[in-house]
Each structure stands twice: as C-alpha cells, then as structure tokens.
Amino acid sequence: GIAVWCEPGSVSLQTPEQLVSAGQSRSVQEKQKDAQELEVLRQKEIAEKRSRVLQRGSRHSRFGGSYVVQGLKSLGDKDVIYHKGLHNFKNYSHDMGKAVRRVPKRRQRARDPENCRRSALNVRLFLREFCIDFLENCYNRLMYLVKDGLLREKAQQHDETYYLWALAFFMGFNRSHNFRMDLVSETMSIRTFHYIERNLTNYYEMMLTDRKEATSWARRMHLALKAYRELLMTVNEMDHSRDDNIRQSASVIKSNIFYLMEYREIFLTLLRKFDETKQPRSFLKDLVEAAHLFLRMLERFCKGRNNLVVQRKRVKKKRSKGKRRSGPAVDSSPEALEQCWQVVSEELKATGFQLSESVTEGTVLFDAASEVPLEEQRAEAMVRIQDALLAKQGPEALALIRAAREVWPEGDVFGAADVVAEEELELLKQILFANLPRPATTEPVEEEEEVGEGEEEEEIESVRVSEAEFNFLDYIKRFASPNILQPYLLLLKSYNQNSTHTNHCIVRMLHRVAVDLKMDALLFQLSVFCLFNKILCDPAATAYKELVTFAKFVLNRFFALAARNNKAYVELLFWKNVGAVREMTEGYSKEEDKQESKKRVTWSSEEEAELGKLYLEHRDSGDADVVETLLPILSNPSWTRRQVVQQLVNLGLVDSVKDLKKQSRKGTRIVLWTEDQELELQTLFEEFSESDDILGNILKKITAKRSRARVVDKLLSLGLVSDRKELYKKRRPRAAGKSSGMTEDEFFSDLAGDTQNDPSDEEEEEE
C-alpha cells in the first residue's frame, strides 16, 4: 500500500486539502470563497456582454468603412488608413496582421505539469482514511529509516525526491486535518530545514551545469521548495497552537532559522536566479508565497524583540594574481617601529647574539619539493623575518636570518658569510623598517556561501562569520532591486489566473518596496504601467480591489513626480537601481557638480605649510608610497589619499597625480650595499665627477640598478658629496632672459618623479 502511494504519478492527482475535505460539509470560509469566485466569474461575464453590446451597431452594415488616423504615421510619411469599424480601433497596433515570430525551443517558457484533478468521492474517502492511519502508525518511523538510508547512501539515485514529496504531502495533510505535532515530529527539526536547504541549493547548481537534464533538476528543485514551504507553514501553525510547549518549540525553531544566514538568503537567491525557460509558473507561485510567509513570520518575530542578533558572513573577493594579503595588523608608524626596535635590539644584546637549540630547530625556510619559485620563497623568508621583528621576537628573527643566509648565500642578500654581530643588527633594523611586499595567498572558500553570478574563476573568496544586530527594514531593502521585482511582476501578468492569496502576496511585496521603503520609483517602468493599465481596464476590475488600489497609488505618485521632473517619461523606458531612483526623485547631479563637490575641501595656510614640509622630508626617504607615509602623521586625520594628492599637485610639489600613483613593485627593496658595490660607486663617481651629469652617468653604468634617491643617499653617506646641489645636472648658459642650470625645485621634482621614469625602480635588486 505504501509503495503504491509513494508513486509521484498517482499522488500528483490529489492535494492534501482535497482529501481532508472529502465527505465533510463545507465550512463558512469555504462557502464564502466559492461565492467570491462565482461573483468574479459573473462580473466578467456581465462585462463581456456589455462590451459586445457597445461594439455591435444598431443595424448591420456590410461595409466597415475606411478611416484616416491623423497623427499616426504608417510606413511612409502618410497617416495610417484604418479599414475596420471604429469600435475595434482601441486594439489597433502596427503588429496586426504580421506573422508571429517563432520562439526557439530553448527560449520558450517552461510548461506547468498537469493540474491536480478531483477523484471520485469513494476514492478520496479511502485515501483520506489511509493518510490518517499512515500518520498515526508509521509516518515518523518510516521517515526516520528513509532519511537514514539517504544519509548513508544506501538508497538509489534521486530517491530523496520521494522523501521530499512525502514530507510535503503528509505534513500538509496533518496541518489541515486536526493538527497534531506528535504525528510529524520526526521531520519537524532544524536538521530537516538544513537537509532541504542543502538539496535545494544542489538542485539549482545541477540545473545550471547539467543543461540536458535541466528540466528534471528544476522539477526536483520544485519538490524541495514545496517541502521547505510546508515546513514554514507547519512552524507557523505551531506558533498559533494553544499548547505552550508547542509554541515554545516553534520559537526555538524560528530563532534558529532566522539566526542563520543561509535560511534568510535562500529566497533572495531563488528570486534573483529565477529562469522562466527552466522553471514553470507554478514554481514561481510557490516561491512567492513561501517568501511572503517567511517575511511575515520574520516581521512578527522581530516586533516582540528590541534587538535581534543574527549571523552575518562577509565575503572578501581576492584576485589570485593581483591582490596581496597585508601583513600582521600592527602599528607601522615610525615611532612604533622605533620603539619595537629598541626592545628587539636590547634583547639581542642581552643574549650576546647566542641562540638556543629550541629556537634554531624549527627554522625551515626552503622547501625543495615545493612548486613555489625560489625567488618567491626568498621574499617569503624576508617577510617572516619582519613578522618576527614586529612581534618583538628578536632571537627568532636572528635565527631566521642566519638560516636564510645559509640557503641564499649569493649576492649577500642576508649578509656575508663572515658578518659580525653589529652588521647583523643593522641588517635586522633595515628589514624591520622596510616596506616589504606580501606574497599572494589563497583563502579557503566556505561551502555554505553561494558564489555570485559573473564571478571569475581566478577570484578567491574568504568568508568571515560574525554577529550583528538585525534590522528588518534593512533586510527588506535587499528586495528593492529590479532582479528581485521582475519575477513578481512576471507572475502578476497572469493576475486573472492567480488565486486571491497569490495576488495578495505579490501586492504585499510591492507595497513593502513602494510604501515602507519609499522606493515607488522602482516601479516607474513602461512594462509595469502597461500591466497596471490592463488591470484598470479589466471589465472585472472590481474583483481585484487590492490590485486596483495599488496601481492607482503608483500612477498618482508618478504623475506627481512628472510634474516636477520632465525627464520622468524618459525614465519609464529603463529599469532603475537605487541610485537612479534617488536621482530621479531628488534631482540629477551634473558632472560639474560632482567635481565641485570633490574640490570643496579647503586647506588652511598652516595645513598647506605642514603638508609641504612633511612631503619634502619624506619624499627622498625611499618609501614605496610617500602619500601612505604622510597620511598617519598629518595633524588632520580626516584627509583622504585623493585630497592629499590633489593638494600636492595644487601646491606644485608634484607635476601630476600620476606621479603619486600606487605601484606594485617586485623585490624586497632592502637597501644594503656590499663592499664591492660601494667600491664600484666610488669608482664611477671619480670617473664622472667632471662631467655635466654625474648622477645620470652613474645610474647608466652602475651594475646593481637602484633608484636615483638611493644612489644620492649613498653618495652622501660615503662623504663623496657634501650637498645634493653638487649632483645637479650642469647646463650650458642659455640666451639672455632664460634661466640656466637646474633649480632645487626641479631637482626635487625629478627625485619624486623618477619612480616612473627610472627603469631601475620597476624591479630593484633584492638585497
């Protein structure tokens, strides 16, 4: 008996409500519902008869007549000539008489399955008694065994669809027939919610990937949605029970499903990803009704609580090639680094630069079997040394640099083999104060988080789970999007075929957006207005009072806006996002206004002097990004990077904004000079000391390519020059009235701008 009952083909002919009402007298509510449906049909029939009477003339005429429609152009420049009766002119369109374009099969709307039909009374009575006996005697036990077999993968493929159908059907029957919670306790739990949500997500992903079987996956997805909706309806029924224990259980279940992000996101995702070519209209109907029930339960749940805390997940998208993860979250200001260095240096001096075996045991920096290139492993070793210094772990940093010296002895990047303790200390200091690039890392992706449409494969996601106070209105704002509202309006097109409850669910969502969020302009779209016009012109419009009232409200709001904004009629042609709605209702902002708003920042004379002074002090410091160095030490912390860069351009300290662009540089930029390199620099200086461009010639001939600023600093530290002016490019005297030589400002500009002009800055030698 059970095996026959669980066949989807035979069961799809019945609904739980039909079986429950079999053999019973109709209730008052059912009689009122039937009376309303009959009244709607009667009004439609009367309206159609009236329209036919108005269209029919007083006497029959064999000649329809021909009319010229002034103002309506035909294919040429002449007016349209209409050859039919005027009573049909309101339905005129240029498309009349044209062949209907054939829609490709893959673009046709998905068809609904066969509608349920009512069996004979004796069959329904038998099935009704069978359902009652099945619920009382074996539902919980059978569903437990089936679920256990599914989880242990003992069942056949796709057997979970029978489980989902049985859950939705029998729980619906129990809810409609003397609701008893103990009869369906096995399937009323958070685990069941999670199981169905997981299957729903899996079916959706398979519908996208397995295109040949997309229709089958869409049907399975519909079964899971029905089961999910039935669980929500059962929880809602529990919430209205007279038993305090059942109401308490419902409260616990609701607090769990409202807390977890997956259950709040499921309806947003399904609405956003709805595809009418794969999912039928019945799926959209069930989805809209389930979303309406969920929102109503969530709103009622929030009203009785001042602060509701829910789970929130933040997804950070990173490019696997472009973006790099920042280092440890520590204070990198010069004062903090100086204080950190004092602690580390005192600790190392106190130990006499001697390391214990426990410190040196775990210092492994090179992996020969790794696929990471040797250069990247060396850069990673430098970062590990800096991290140890930032954590004030002096012995660990010293052990790392000694281990790195043994692995990479070439070039004396980590010091020479016979380096003394003082040189090691100086090298560690330079590593600490250096601005090292962090190696690119990949973050694991959480399985529960859904990947958005259009994301590229090379993007890597990191999910951070936290808790936040829930605001119901903020949650509703996520529905204020054309991608979410378009499925609602698609279902509204068949308003005359929808049930009263379905139309109410649609209007309630549109009301939340238009009235509660005050975003009625989202509905100012031509196709929406055509639909409203169809509703208002419907002969049986009195049967759709809620729809008519809402349509009139939106139209009145539009015409009130059009009186102020003459571009509102053009806006009807486009779907709008929140930003476009704000501009449409509050006024458009010109491009000049946007630029003026950015330039409204005013700098006082003291702030300008401070900025100029700090820039001149730090532009030759060798930092990769001077602006990032200036931002934390400015007296006004509210200045943004863009404002500081723009002010530097306005003050004439830099020629262009491009000179201060963020640049991703390769290498470690450690500024250690070996003895051979210093000797080479001295030789080149002596060779070109009498030339017109000392610095330019040195940069061309030097073996280890370095930036102009670093070479100047080294020449000053070696005592080869006492002033930067000695390195100015000497120019021959020009004609009278023209200045000769290079001014100090021009020289400083060259030093600041050589980041882009000098090729040595693109990739400095790692030392």
Side-chain angles (χ1 to χ4, degrees), residues 17 167-173 175 188 225-235:
E17 291 77 12
L167 185 149
F169 187 90
F170 287 108
M171 290 188 72
F173 183 90
R175 179 174 49 81
M188 196 64 248
L225 178 63
K226 286 182 177 180
Y228 195 83
R229 185 187 65 167
E230 187 55 47
L231 286 178
L232 291 176
M233 296 179 75
T234 303
V235 173

Side-chain angles (χ1 to χ4, degrees), residues 5-6 37-38 46 102 108 131 160 209 259 288 339 366 511 565 619 631-632 650 672 692 699 712 752:
W5 176 249
C6 289
E37 293 178 356
L38 288 174
I46 293 174
R102 180 180 174 274
Q108 293 178 0
C131 291
E160 73 277 358
T209 55
Y259 172 79
V288 168
Q339 183 180 3
F366 176 69
H511 182 274
N565 182 5
R619 67 176 177 180
L631 286 175
N650 295 339
L672 276 182
D692 294 338
L699 290 173
V712 171

Side-chain angles (χ1 to χ4, degrees), residues 147 163-164 167 187 190-203 223-229 231 266:
K147 178 75 172 295
Y163 175 83
L164 295 174
L167 185 149
T187 53
I190 297 297
R191 289 176 297 175
T192 309
F193 271 96
H194 174 68
Y195 179 76
I196 296 176
E197 186 269 336
R198 188 179 61 183
N199 277 280
L200 196 57
T201 305
N202 180 51
Y203 292 153
L223 280 175
L225 178 63
K226 286 182 177 180
Y228 195 83
R229 185 187 65 167
L231 286 178
I266 187 68

Side-chain angles (χ1 to χ4, degrees), residues 52-61 87:
R52 286 197 297 267
V53 170
L54 294 176
Q55 291 178 7
R56 191 180 302 118
S58 58
R59 55 178 293 183
H60 178 70
S61 175
H87 56 275

Side-chain angles (χ1 to χ4, degrees), residues 262-520:
E262 289 77 12
Y263 304 120
R264 300 195 310 273
E265 295 293 313
I266 187 68
F267 293 109
L268 285 165
T269 303
L270 294 178
L271 285 168
R272 191 182 299 112
K273 306 296 184 180
F274 175 75
D275 186 358
E276 60 179 334
T277 62
K278 299 181 180 66
Q279 297 161 312
R281 175 180 163 273
S282 56
F283 175 87
L284 182 58
K285 169 183 169 295
D286 292 336
L287 176 59
V288 168
E289 292 180 358
H292 171 76
L293 176 61
F294 183 83
L295 289 174
R296 192 178 63 183
M297 293 170 60
L298 181 58
E299 185 178 20
R300 191 184 305 121
F301 189 77
C302 293
K303 282 184 178 178
R305 291 163 178 79
N306 295 329
N307 50 353
L308 176 63
V309 177
V310 297
Q311 185 187 74
R312 181 176 61 182
K313 292 183 180 179
R314 287 187 175 181
V315 180
K316 287 193 173 183
K317 300 175 185 177
K318 299 182 179 181
R319 297 268 184 181
S320 59
K321 294 183 179 179
K323 294 190 178 180
R324 300 180 180 272
R325 187 174 63 180
S326 59
V330 295
D331 188 3
S332 59
S333 62
E335 294 80 5
L337 293 177
E338 191 65 37
Q339 183 180 3
C340 177
W341 174 246
Q342 290 181 0
V343 175
V344 172
S345 60
E346 290 177 0
E347 182 181 6
L348 291 175
K349 291 177 182 178
T351 58
F353 296 93
Q354 300 298 323
L355 301 176
S356 60
E357 294 183 0
S358 61
V359 176
T360 57
E361 281 178 356
T363 55
V364 179
L365 296 175
F366 176 69
D367 185 3
S370 175
E371 296 181 358
V372 180
L374 184 64
E375 298 296 328
E376 293 186 13
Q377 291 195 41
R378 184 170 60 179
E380 185 179 354
M382 193 73 71
V383 172
R384 287 182 59 183
I385 296 171
Q386 189 184 60
D387 290 343
L389 292 171
L390 290 171
K392 300 180 181 179
Q393 299 174 352
E396 287 78 0
L398 185 60
L400 287 171
I401 198 171
R402 289 179 177 176
R405 188 183 305 133
E406 295 177 1
V407 177
W408 296 283
E410 61 277 0
D412 295 338
V413 176
F414 297 95
D418 55 349
V419 64
V420 295
E422 289 74 11
E423 293 180 358
E424 274 187 329
L425 198 63
E426 182 64 24
L427 181 58
L428 288 174
K429 182 178 181 181
Q430 292 184 6
I431 293 175
L432 174 63
F433 283 85
N435 189 7
L436 299 179
R438 298 282 167 169
T441 55
T442 58
E443 298 285 342
V445 181
E446 293 288 337
E447 292 183 356
E448 292 120 339
E449 192 63 11
E450 175 205 11
V451 179
E453 185 179 3
E455 292 176 5
E456 300 179 1
E457 293 182 358
E458 69 268 18
E459 287 188 351
I460 302 164
E461 291 185 350
S462 61
V463 182
R464 292 184 179 180
V465 181
S466 59
E467 289 186 342
E469 188 171 343
F470 182 76
N471 188 314
F472 181 74
L473 205 59
D474 290 341
Y475 180 67
I476 293 296
K477 288 179 181 177
R478 303 188 61 187
F479 288 84
S481 168
N483 295 333
I484 302 293
L485 296 181
Q486 283 173 3
Y488 279 90
L489 296 169
L490 179 64
L491 185 60
L492 186 60
K493 288 182 179 179
S494 57
Y495 69 93
N496 50 1
Q497 302 175 11
N498 298 338
S499 64
T500 305
H501 177 65
T502 302
N503 285 334
H504 169 73
C505 295
I506 299 172
V507 175
R508 186 69 184 96
M509 173 53 70
L510 299 180
H511 182 274
R512 290 184 189 275
V513 174
V515 180
D516 297 351
L517 299 181
K518 299 180 181 179
M519 291 186 183
D520 46 4

Side-chain angles (χ1 to χ4, degrees), residues 474-601:
D474 290 341
Y475 180 67
I476 293 296
K477 288 179 181 177
R478 303 188 61 187
F479 288 84
S481 168
N483 295 333
I484 302 293
L485 296 181
Q486 283 173 3
Y488 279 90
L489 296 169
L490 179 64
L491 185 60
L492 186 60
K493 288 182 179 179
S494 57
Y495 69 93
N496 50 1
Q497 302 175 11
N498 298 338
S499 64
T500 305
H501 177 65
T502 302
N503 285 334
H504 169 73
C505 295
I506 299 172
V507 175
R508 186 69 184 96
M509 173 53 70
L510 299 180
H511 182 274
R512 290 184 189 275
V513 174
V515 180
D516 297 351
L517 299 181
K518 299 180 181 179
M519 291 186 183
D520 46 4
L522 278 174
L523 301 176
F524 294 169
Q525 214 275 338
L526 198 57
S527 61
V528 180
F529 281 14
C530 290
L531 179 57
F532 286 167
N533 181 59
K534 181 181 176 182
I535 295 173
L536 295 175
C537 295
D538 195 320
T542 53
Y544 311 108
K545 294 182 180 179
E546 194 174 18
L547 287 174
V548 171
T549 304
F550 181 77
K552 289 181 177 179
F553 166 77
V554 174
L555 291 172
N556 290 335
R557 296 282 295 178
F558 171 76
F559 290 121
L561 176 64
R564 306 190 310 269
N565 182 5
N566 55 4
K567 298 183 180 65
Y569 294 100
V570 181
E571 294 281 4
L572 286 176
L573 302 175
F574 310 100
W575 288 101
K576 292 164 283 295
N577 55 22
V578 178
V581 165
R582 185 179 296 110
E583 285 193 340
M584 182 180 176
T585 54
E586 299 178 3
Y588 301 97
S589 56
K590 299 180 181 179
E591 193 65 28
E592 295 80 4
D593 297 339
K594 294 179 180 179
Q595 294 178 359
E596 285 296 327
S597 62
K598 295 177 182 178
K599 294 180 181 179
R600 283 174 187 169
V601 181

